[in-house]
Amino acid sequence: MNAIVLEDFGPKPAEKPAAPSRVPTSTQDFDAAYNAGWDDAMAQVDAEQSRVGEQLANRLMEIERDQQDAITSAISALEPMLHEVFDKLLPRTAERSFLTLLLEEIEQLLAEGAGSLVVLVAPEETAAMGKLLERAKLDPDRVSVRAEPAMSLSQAIVRWDDQERRIDLEAVLAALDDALERFLTSIHEGTDHG
């Protein structure tokens, strides 16, 4: 019978066990190793914070872009209705309410102590303004109405002493219309460049 030979894994007599690569031998070595580990950990935390911050900034930019797209889309959908309001509804409303607004202005001037007022309006509005002044029981000696052919509907000049005040709803409506066009143009240009 043959004997089984087993391999010996133990240290060989000529070999010495390998010394650990570097074992801290003093408190200074320990502190240096600890600080190096701490610095590595902090570097990892900083790197993670930078990564998360960058992802957050990217997501916020996406949200802002999506929000701007939604606003632009909503305004584009509303644009025909806005033109309808500014081109038709506002002028009609202004024409209907002009004389009432003018009466309020006259009453305000009288309350502030203005002398006798002369109100110049378009010939088509003279009779209606006269009736409105009668209903408001304003003394004809304090307020008189005159037709001014150069005036158009929704325009008036109120004169007293050496002063005058111009009331021009047409100019206000034109300014509003211009403002709407500038706003819509800026929205469309923002979309084209975005």
Side-chain angles (χ1 to χ4, degrees):
M1 211 172 195
N2 290 344
I4 298 176
V5 178
L6 298 174
E7 189 175 344
D8 183 9
F9 292 102
K12 297 190 176 140
E15 290 182 18
K16 292 184 182 175
S21 58
R22 183 137 185 345
V23 174
T25 57
S26 70
T27 306
Q28 288 180 339
D29 288 342
F30 176 79
D31 288 345
Y34 178 82
N35 288 337
W38 181 260
D39 290 344
D40 284 347
M42 291 311 296
Q44 288 177 358
V45 167
D46 288 345
E48 182 66 13
Q49 284 179 339
S50 294
R51 186 187 64 76
V52 169
E54 192 174 308
Q55 285 180 339
L56 180 60
N58 289 339
R59 184 62 186 131
L60 288 174
M61 286 186 347
E62 287 174 15
I63 289 171
E64 185 178 350
R65 193 170 40 250
D66 291 348
Q67 181 184 20
Q68 187 60 41
D69 289 347
I71 290 170
T72 301
S73 177
I75 289 173
S76 293
L78 290 173
E79 188 172 342
M81 187 207 48
L82 288 172
H83 280 294
E84 190 80 14
V85 167
F86 275 73
D87 296 342
K88 295 179 181 171
L89 185 62
L90 279 178
R92 286 187 202 138
T93 304
E95 285 176 18
R96 285 190 210 121
S97 62
F98 173 68
L99 295 180
T100 306
L101 293 171
L102 180 56
L103 178 62
E104 289 174 8
E105 188 70 24
I106 290 167
E107 291 173 334
Q108 179 68 33
L109 288 169
L110 291 172
E112 291 171 2
S116 295
L117 303 178
V118 176
V119 181
L120 305 173
V121 293
E124 303 91 333
E125 293 179 319
T126 307
M129 189 68 215
K131 288 179 186 173
L132 199 58
L133 292 173
E134 284 176 25
R135 273 189 257 143
K137 298 183 179 169
L138 293 176
D139 185 353
D141 293 334
R142 298 239 13 233
V143 183
S144 61
V145 180
R146 293 189 195 154
E148 175 55 61
M151 298 287 217
S152 61
L153 296 172
S154 302
Q155 291 181 326
I157 297 175
V158 181
R159 291 186 177 144
W160 70 101
D161 303 327
D162 292 335
Q163 301 179 57
E164 76 175 24
R165 184 169 295 172
R166 293 182 180 271
I167 299 157
D168 189 349
L169 286 186
E170 279 187 12
V172 171
L173 291 173
L176 286 173
D177 211 26
D178 289 346
L180 174 66
E181 290 305 320
R182 282 194 306 274
F183 172 71
L184 292 174
T185 299
S186 72
I187 291 292
H188 292 304
E189 286 174 354
T191 303
D192 294 342
H193 293 91

